[in-house]
Amino acid sequence: MHLVIVSGTVFGTADLVADEAQSLCESAGLRVSRLRTLTLDALLALESEALLLCTSTTGMGELPEPLVPLFHEMRDRFPLLTARPFGVIALGDAAYGDTFCQAGEEFRELLLELQAREVIPMLRLDASETVTPETDAEPWLQQFIGALQG
Ligand SMILES: Cc1cc2nc3c(=O)[nH]c(=O)nc-3n(C[C@H](O)[C@H](O)[C@H](O)COP(=O)(O)O)c2cc1C
């Protein structure tokens, strides 16, 4: 199983979580690519079987700037990802109320519109509750790996 991990961050935390995800997935025997150029063509060129998106939320519920072009390209070009397995890890802060983890929610909704298949429910990591999001993500990642391999 070839998994592509896409991460978008402002301060680096989502990338740390993505690093942890890469390490666990590789240890479990998955072939992992990180999307370094955040464009739709780069994503499609990888021809991965599965996708893990890891994003923080900024502003008033906005996507981190590095992910904005990819999101718009996916929405505008609408490449169907029919039945492609995916998972989303959303980093946020519950103190932001209604916009808690909104970037993750929006990307998740877009992937569902593209007919990709969410293998386990989105993980929300709340910065007001934890200072170790990368270790907190581990149980979810183990479930995600199990769902991909099962
Ligand atoms: C200026 C700013 C705006 C933020 N806006 C939101 C928000 O609207 N919703 C949310 O859930 N978290 C929000 N956050 C919290 C971040 O998403 C959270 O701290 C996250 O862990 C940061 O991850 P990063 O280092 O990958 O950017 C905001 C943080 C900052 C500094």
Side-chain angles (χ1 to χ4, degrees):
M1 167 74 73
H2 177 201
L3 171 74
V4 62
I5 300 179
V6 181
S7 60
T9 186
V10 179
F11 300 110
T13 325
D15 283 349
L16 286 180
V17 175
D19 290 345
E20 178 68 16
Q22 176 167 13
S23 147
L24 284 184
C25 291
E26 284 175 347
S27 300
L30 298 177
R31 183 157 79 86
V32 179
S33 304
R34 291 286 283 276
L35 188 68
R36 299 290 176 192
T37 307
L38 295 175
T39 64
L40 181 56
D41 285 334
L43 178 64
L44 297 177
L46 285 171
E47 297 185 334
S48 75
E49 290 144 284
L51 174 70
L52 174 63
L53 180 89
C54 194
T55 181
S56 64
T57 295
T58 190
M60 300 285 281
E62 280 144 41
L63 290 162
E65 188 269 326
L67 279 181
V68 172
L70 176 63
F71 183 86
H72 287 153
E73 265 189 295
M74 286 179 89
R75 204 188 46 195
D76 296 344
R77 286 170 54 188
F78 218 71
L80 285 183
L81 302 172
T82 307
R84 184 94 54 105
F86 79 93
V88 177
I89 299 178
L91 290 87
D93 187 327
Y96 286 86
D98 285 352
T99 65
F100 179 49
C101 290
Q102 191 168 305
E105 304 272 6
E106 283 184 13
F107 231 115
R108 171 182 175 269
E109 276 166 28
L110 177 58
L111 288 166
L112 290 172
E113 282 172 30
L114 296 173
Q115 295 177 21
R117 177 174 65 87
E118 187 175 38
V119 296
I120 60 169
M122 185 170 89
L123 174 65
R124 292 171 181 77
L125 293 168
D126 180 359
S128 67
E129 295 265 310
T130 179
V131 289
T132 53
E134 65 281 18
T135 44
D136 295 348
E138 282 175 16
W140 185 94
L141 284 164
Q142 296 296 0
Q143 270 189 50
F144 178 68
I145 292 164
L148 290 182
Q149 291 177 332

